[in-house]
């Protein structure tokens, strides 16, 4: 009976997986095509991918592409995706990075279940694999130092030379390798190298280093080891141990694939297929942990999660919804050749997502006082305002209206040019959710700067419509002055002024000195007094704003996530016109 049930369940799972395979036929790209082909040829039963970050920095938008790809492929094909920390270099790695990486992947909405692995968990296994290669005379201990190894390696046009230590016997190699492990030599005195081919046209195959001596404590294994595997040696074998079926990595590892395959073939163990795709590059950004670390360490930004950073933690703090990042990654897809995507395209997905989700409020960034002269002194009323026209379930809220208001300074012109339809002397406009108002005078200071406007309102236009159907050409946002809340608003621009920072110059030379400005003059509707860190709002006609963790009961701090203007449409139009 139990046996039958198990058989039935297994059959059911296989049928479901086959259905998933068929369904995913809709989506095609070279990675999905390869996976489907491998499946049809019976090379694997259940897809198994992994995301393998090195815990030496925070994740950035480029990593998001790899995360989405690996986890979404697993979900699409009914498989699994592991999280594996590639922690083979103790000099640069820290557990703080491990925690931030886990937080960011969860934030994107992916889960690795209980499959959280570390390359350092396999140090003993990798050591045993290395012994196997030594036994097979496929690896040797070499005493050349790093410079000498480089000299012996040759160049793309010249073959390398064999190391004088290449012919060491298996016994001698076993002994020396054991001595290396026992800490008998200082850093750099010896390395273990694969014995492949010093004349190979692929430089990675010219006896690459597998182990180096580093007398350093590791964030997980402490002082247990003083020899550490190189990336090339650890990566494929870790994939194999985890029974990964498809090891997806970025293009720079294409030349390493013959080595990846060589190690697995020599060891004769489970052999995943490595597939490479092009890295994600974005305009006005750098996506290299080394560069990002420099920005943090030299205080050009306020930490890894500074909202100007291309890190996932920075984007979270900027107010980017995780779904927007996922939609963006899906839309750009995978390719075999490098390209750079416009930052405006990512922002397009951010706006799309926020437009659906963000509550609308009114906030005036550059306030100009308006006195409604026919509105009774000392009185006020509560008007109904819609929270989100895209989402009727979001309901309504009350906004107070009174005799003294603020409007945006840019919404008034004393002497308006032809196409300026907003407020001007003698002109009538609508105040959103409130009344029509008309400007009847302008107050100025001794230097001629406008200090306030004198206006009247039409009580018959309550809610924003005139009973006599007369029209106005503009609707302005506004805030009641005695009820307004003040805040610090951080306005961000791109961190780098150039489209491709670091391409023709030191990347630091194109840092944008105006990437952050703080506005503390703003006046916001009172409902914002209750705003909590993590909430996001659309200030009508102005943009999206995210309540920062730096907010306190005394002071609200908001980050501008994006303006409302979708620049992507303009770029797309330009691109299309240059194509045709
Ligand atoms: P960096 O160059 O920023 O140090 P890295 O490649 O060394 O990045 P890892 O932690 O090793 O960082 O990366 C983990 C995974 O993320 C790898 O599979 C890597 O190929 C992928 N990845 C890193 N950067 C990008 C990117 N810009 N686009 C797509 N995938 C990326
Ligand atoms: Mg790497």
């Amino acid at each position: 009976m139990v046996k039958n049930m198990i058989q039935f369940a297994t059959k059911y799972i296989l049928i479901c997986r086959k259905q998933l395979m068929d369904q995913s036929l809709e989506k095609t790209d070279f990675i999905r095509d390869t996976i489907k082909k491998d499946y049809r040829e019976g090379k694997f039963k259940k897809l198994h991918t992994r995301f393998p970050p090195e815990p030496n920095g925070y994740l950035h938008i480029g990593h998001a592409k790899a995360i989405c790809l690996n986890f979404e492929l697993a979900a699409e094909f009914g498989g699994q995706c592991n999280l594996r920390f590639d922690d083979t270099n103790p000099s640069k790695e820290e557990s703080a990075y491990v925690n931030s990486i886990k937080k960011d992947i969860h934030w994107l909405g992916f889960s690795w279940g209980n499959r959280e692995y570390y390359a350092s968990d396999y140090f003993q296994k990798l050591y045993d694999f290395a012994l196997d290669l030594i036994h097979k005379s496929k690896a040797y201990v070499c005493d050349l130092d790093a410079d000498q190894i480089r000299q012996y390696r040759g160049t793309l046009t010249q073959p390398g030379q064999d190391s004088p230590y290449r012919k060491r016997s298996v016994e001698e190699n076993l002994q020396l390798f054991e001595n290396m492990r026992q800490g008998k030599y200082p850093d750099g005195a010896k390395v273990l190298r694969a014995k492949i081919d010093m004349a190979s046209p692929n430089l990675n195959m010219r006896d690459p280093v597998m182990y180096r001596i580093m007398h350093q404590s590791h964030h997980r294994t402490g002082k247990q080891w003083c020899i550490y595997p190189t990336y090339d040696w650890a990566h494929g074998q870790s994939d194999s141990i985890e029974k990964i079926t498809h090891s997806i990595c970025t293009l720079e590892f294409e030349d390493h694939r013959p080595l990846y395959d060589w190690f697995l073939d020599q060891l004769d163990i489970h052999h995943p297929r490595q597939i490479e795709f092009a890295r994600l590059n974005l305009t006005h950004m750098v996506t290299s942990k080394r560069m990002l670390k420099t920005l943090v360490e030299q205080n050009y930004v306020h930490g890894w999660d500074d909202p100007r950073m291309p890190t996932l933690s920075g984007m979270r703090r900027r107010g980017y919804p995780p779904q927007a990042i996922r939609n963006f990654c899906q839309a750009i897809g995978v390719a075999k050749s490098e390209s750079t995507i416009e930052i405006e395209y990512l922002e397009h997905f951010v706006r799309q997502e926020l437009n659906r989700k963000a509550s609308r409020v009114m906030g005036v960034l550059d306030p100009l006082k308006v006195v409604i002269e026919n509105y009774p002194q000392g009185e006020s009323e509560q008007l109904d305002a819609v929270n989100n026209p895209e989402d009727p379930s979001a309901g309504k809220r009350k906004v107070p209206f009174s005799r003294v208001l603020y409007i945006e300074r840019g919404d008034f012109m004393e002497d308006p040019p032809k196409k300026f339809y907003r407020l001007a002397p003698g002109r009538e406009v609508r105040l959103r959710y409130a009344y029509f108002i008309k400007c009847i005078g302008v107050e100025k200071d001794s230097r001629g700067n406008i200090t306030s406007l004198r206006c009247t309102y039409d009580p018959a236009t309550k809610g924003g419509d005139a009973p006599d159907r007369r029209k106005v050409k503009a609707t302005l946002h506004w805030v009641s002055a005695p009820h307004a809340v003040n805040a610090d608003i951080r306005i961000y621009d791109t961190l780098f002024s150039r489209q491709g920072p670091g391409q023709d110059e030191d990347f630091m030379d194109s840092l944008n000195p105006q990437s952050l400005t703080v506005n503390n003059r703003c006046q916001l509707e009172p409902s914002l007094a209750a705003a909590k860190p993590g909430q996001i709002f659309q200030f009508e006609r102005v943009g999206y704003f995210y309540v920062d963790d730096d907010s306190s009961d005394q002071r609200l701090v908001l980050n501008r996530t994006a303006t409302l203007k979708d620049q992507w449409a303009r770029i797309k139009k330009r691109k299309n016109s240059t194509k045709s």
Side-chain angles (χ1 to χ4, degrees):
M1 169 77 175
V2 173
K3 203 173 153 198
N4 277 350
M5 275 172 70
I6 292 175
Q7 269 178 354
F8 178 76
T10 316
K11 217 169 186 175
Y12 181 72
I13 290 171
L14 287 175
I15 291 171
C16 288
R17 199 169 292 145
K18 173 142 189 343
Q19 274 176 354
L20 280 169
M21 286 285 171
D22 294 342
Q23 274 165 18
S24 53
L25 281 174
E26 294 155 23
K27 272 194 184 172
T28 68
D29 56 50
F30 70 97
I31 295 183
R32 287 173 171 86
D33 292 347
T34 308
I35 292 173
K36 282 174 213 160
K37 185 165 171 286
D38 287 351
Y39 181 72
R40 274 189 229 108
E41 292 173 2
K43 293 198 175 138
F44 72 96
K45 286 205 174 64
K46 182 174 171 184
L47 183 76
H48 209 146
T49 56
R50 85 287 169 266
F51 172 64
E54 188 181 347
N56 61 351
Y58 280 54
L59 296 180
H60 52 61
I61 183 74
H63 292 115
K65 178 174 176 178
I67 294 169
C68 290
L69 182 60
N70 280 293
F71 280 95
E72 283 172 5
L73 281 174
E76 248 171 82
F77 289 96
Q80 286 182 317
C81 178
N82 293 359
L83 170 61
R84 182 195 325 135
F85 290 98
D86 237 320
D87 54 350
T88 52
N89 186 352
S91 65
K92 294 189 191 151
E93 294 157 5
E94 287 174 28
S95 0
Y97 294 136
V98 168
N99 295 333
S100 78
I101 289 171
K102 292 201 285 191
K103 183 172 172 187
D104 289 348
I105 302 174
H106 272 144
W107 176 68
L108 279 179
F110 297 109
S111 164
W112 52 91
N114 56 1
R115 295 177 312 283
E116 177 179 327
Y117 301 120
Y118 294 80
S120 56
D121 292 341
Y122 312 136
F123 280 171
Q124 183 60 44
K125 257 194 165 142
L126 292 169
Y127 182 82
D128 294 339
F129 283 149
L131 291 181
D132 186 22
L133 288 194
I134 296 176
H135 276 293
K136 289 174 173 159
S137 202
K138 297 287 181 189
Y140 63 98
V141 173
C142 180
D143 298 8
L144 296 181
D145 64 27
D147 276 342
Q148 289 168 320
I149 289 182
R150 213 168 298 126
Q151 280 160 20
Y152 274 73
R153 186 177 291 138
T155 62
L156 281 173
T157 49
Q158 274 184 334
Q161 283 172 35
D162 284 0
S163 154
Y165 306 99
R166 202 175 198 260
K167 292 205 175 72
R168 276 176 167 156
S169 68
V170 169
E171 289 68 33
E172 189 184 359
N173 280 321
L174 287 172
Q175 185 57 55
L176 292 174
F177 189 45
E178 177 59 23
N179 292 349
M180 278 170 67
R181 177 190 186 152
Q182 286 180 3
K184 294 197 176 160
Y185 312 118
D187 284 7
K190 289 182 174 19
V191 289
L192 184 75
R193 298 175 71 175
K195 196 193 282 186
I196 311 180
D197 177 6
M198 289 306 290
S200 168
N202 182 340
L203 266 66
N204 293 307
M205 300 298 274
R206 294 186 187 170
D207 291 10
V209 172
M210 295 165 59
Y211 275 95
R212 56 245 197 271
I213 302 173
M214 292 168 91
H215 289 271
Q216 287 213 19
S217 179
H218 184 278
H219 76 117
R220 297 188 88 234
T221 57
K223 291 223 177 305
Q224 209 181 326
W225 294 87
C226 63
I227 55 169
Y228 289 96
T230 55
Y231 173 88
D232 279 327
W233 171 240
H235 197 83
Q237 283 45 256
S238 303
D239 281 346
S240 176
I241 292 167
E242 291 176 17
K243 296 280 183 286
I244 299 304
T245 58
H246 293 78
S247 175
I248 298 163
C249 60
T250 36
L251 223 49
E252 69 271 24
F253 292 104
E254 195 168 21
D255 290 345
H256 295 240
R257 184 167 10 110
L259 178 58
Y260 182 98
D261 290 337
W262 187 90
F263 280 136
L264 294 167
D265 286 343
Q266 302 308 316
L267 293 168
D268 198 17
I269 54 177
H270 168 75
H271 196 142
R273 180 203 281 280
Q274 177 177 306
I275 308 178
E276 309 85 16
F277 69 99
R279 290 177 90 82
L280 166 62
N281 303 302
L282 278 174
T283 54
H284 302 287
M285 284 200 175
V286 293
T287 46
S288 143
K289 278 185 277 187
R290 181 183 56 79
M291 292 178 182
L292 297 179
K293 205 170 180 174
T294 310
L295 293 171
V296 174
E297 283 172 355
Q298 298 187 14
N299 296 318
Y300 286 99
V301 291
H302 307 302
W304 285 96
D305 67 347
D306 186 304
R308 289 166 292 179
M309 290 280 270
T311 51
L312 296 182
S313 49
M315 291 185 175
R316 173 165 62 237
R317 204 167 165 189
R318 176 83 170 249
Y320 283 17
Q323 191 59 45
I325 296 176
R326 289 177 62 159
N327 294 348
F328 166 74
C329 289
Q330 278 195 357
I332 56 174
V334 284
K336 261 285 186 200
S337 57
E338 291 283 345
S339 65
T340 301
I341 310 276
E342 280 85 357
I343 182 69
E344 291 83 356
Y345 194 39
L346 171 60
E347 289 169 354
H348 165 78
F349 287 96
V350 169
R351 288 192 181 94
Q352 212 175 45
E353 207 46 32
L354 292 180
N355 184 40
R356 291 201 289 117
K357 298 222 177 102
S359 294
R360 271 57 171 173
V361 290
M362 291 195 284
V364 175
L365 295 201
D366 186 11
L368 172 61
K369 198 159 120 186
V370 169
V371 180
I372 311 285
E373 298 199 336
N374 59 340
Y375 198 86
Q377 294 256 12
E379 279 196 20
S380 68
E381 63 188 301
Q382 297 288 336
L383 302 172
D384 281 331
V386 173
N387 284 334
N388 187 350
E390 303 284 323
D391 175 11
S393 73
K396 288 185 176 172
R397 69 186 185 290
K398 297 282 185 196
V399 286
F401 185 87
S402 68
R403 183 180 161 90
V404 185
L405 313 171
Y406 292 116
I407 63 164
E408 214 68 67
R409 195 165 275 274
D411 281 339
F412 175 80
M413 280 184 98
E414 197 174 11
D415 187 11
K418 229 177 168 187
K419 289 209 165 158
F420 186 86
Y421 298 117
R422 290 165 275 164
L423 197 58
R427 195 182 279 177
E428 195 174 43
V429 296
R430 175 189 292 111
L431 292 185
R432 183 95 158 131
Y433 305 123
Y435 298 97
F436 285 10
I437 60 163
K438 189 173 191 171
C439 177
I440 54 166
V442 176
E443 301 289 322
K444 294 183 180 177
D445 64 14
S446 56
R447 280 169 298 166
N449 297 318
I450 299 173
T451 51
S452 68
L453 304 181
R454 294 172 40 225
C455 294
T456 54
Y457 84 119
D458 178 355
T461 58
K462 185 168 179 174
D465 285 311
D468 62 1
R469 295 175 179 253
R470 75 179 186 278
K471 296 272 178 258
V472 285
K473 284 201 170 146
T475 302
L476 310 185
H477 60 278
W478 55 276
V479 170
S480 163
H483 302 92
V485 177
N486 181 230
D488 281 341
I489 296 198
R490 298 173 179 162
I491 308 277
Y492 299 102
D493 194 358
T494 54
L495 190 52
F496 295 97
S497 334
R498 283 184 173 232
Q499 281 227 337
Q503 272 171 12
D504 310 310
E505 79 295 314
D506 187 298
F507 76 103
M508 299 291 251
D509 292 346
S510 62
L511 272 172
N512 173 6
Q514 257 90 51
S515 59
L516 168 62
T517 45
V518 179
N519 172 336
N520 52 20
R521 304 183 314 277
C522 65
Q523 299 290 341
L524 316 176
E525 69 168 66
S527 72
L528 280 161
K532 295 275 170 295
Q535 277 186 293
I536 189 135
F537 297 96
Q538 185 196 97
F539 289 10
E540 295 206 26
R541 302 178 64 233
V542 178
Y544 294 102
F545 294 83
Y546 177 83
V547 185
D548 193 86
D549 274 346
D550 285 348
S551 296
S552 65
D553 290 345
Q554 284 72 42
R555 188 98 187 133
L556 189 63
V557 180
L558 292 146
N559 299 327
R560 187 173 75 186
T561 310
T563 57
L564 291 182
K565 199 160 177 191
D566 196 338
Q567 306 287 349
W568 175 245
R570 185 179 50 82
I571 295 179
K572 205 165 75 179
K573 210 164 144 195
R574 194 190 62 216
K575 281 188 156 191
N576 286 343
S577 69
T578 47
K579 249 190 242 160
S580 56

